Amino acid sequence: MSRTPKRKTAVEGESRGDFRMMGQVMLLDISDETACRPPSDVHETPEAVIIRMEIPGVPAESLAVLVRGARIEVCGEKRPDTASEDASYLCLERSFGRFQRAFDVNGPVNLSRMTVVLKGGVLVLHLPKILERRGRERRIPILMEEEK
């Protein structure tokens, strides 16, 4: 009998820090620590992976979504809306400034067909899945080389 404890496997959809495994797609949040880090939710459907990021008060002109290889980067800036110059704040809890979120994507998704929509302060990234080709039978033709 072994004294080594059994290694627990990640349950589908379980989040370990900034690592998310969903079905066949794995996302790794590699974002730097910034003052303003918009929260995001990621879920998977049979057809796509969807990332929803809360960015209220950020106009589309202040955002950039980039794809570099298998990495998705969302960059932007949330500018403060200042009160009048003679205002004295009693409480200041909202965060402002530049932000960047980056996700490494591993799995059958088509990043070249990704769409992004900003609606109601929520940025929605839709990553369509690639149809699985494993298990499909395809006959390969055999070419005959003439003998000399």
Side-chain angles (χ1 to χ4, degrees), residues 39-64:
S40 65
D41 292 335
V42 181
H43 72 274
E44 182 178 15
T45 68
E47 297 82 28
V49 173
I50 294 123
I51 302 172
R52 296 180 193 277
M53 189 176 300
E54 285 185 5
I55 50 171
V58 179
E61 304 84 48
S62 296
L63 292 170

Side-chain angles (χ1 to χ4, degrees), residues 84-146:
S84 64
E85 291 189 21
D86 61 344
S88 175
Y89 285 96
L90 301 175
C91 180
L92 187 60
E93 293 182 344
R94 298 181 298 153
S95 58
F96 300 99
R98 298 189 58 75
F99 62 87
Q100 177 181 3
R101 296 293 305 263
F103 300 92
D104 276 348
V105 182
N106 293 316
V109 294
N110 189 345
L111 293 177
S112 64
R113 298 195 53 143
M114 178 176 72
T115 58
V116 182
V117 176
L118 177 61
K119 182 178 180 183
V122 177
L123 188 69
V124 180
L125 290 77
H126 185 268
L127 290 65
K129 287 187 179 177
I130 298 170
L131 293 176
E132 275 229 39
R133 292 179 179 86
R134 288 183 294 166
R136 288 190 182 171
E137 185 176 304
R138 185 175 70 134
R139 187 176 192 111
I140 308 298
I142 301 171
L143 301 177
M144 295 294 295
E145 188 174 303
E146 291 183 29

Side-chain angles (χ1 to χ4, degrees), residues 14-69:
E14 179 180 335
S15 176
R16 282 192 182 162
D18 290 341
F19 165 79
R20 296 181 179 115
M21 182 74 180
M22 302 163 296
Q24 300 172 352
V25 179
M26 181 178 71
L27 280 180
L28 179 63
D29 185 354
I30 57 167
S31 305
D32 292 331
E33 291 299 319
T34 58
C36 179
R37 186 173 186 222
S40 65
D41 292 335
V42 181
H43 72 274
E44 182 178 15
T45 68
E47 297 82 28
V49 173
I50 294 123
I51 302 172
R52 296 180 193 277
M53 189 176 300
E54 285 185 5
I55 50 171
V58 179
E61 304 84 48
S62 296
L63 292 170
V65 179
L66 309 167
V67 175
R68 295 183 179 155

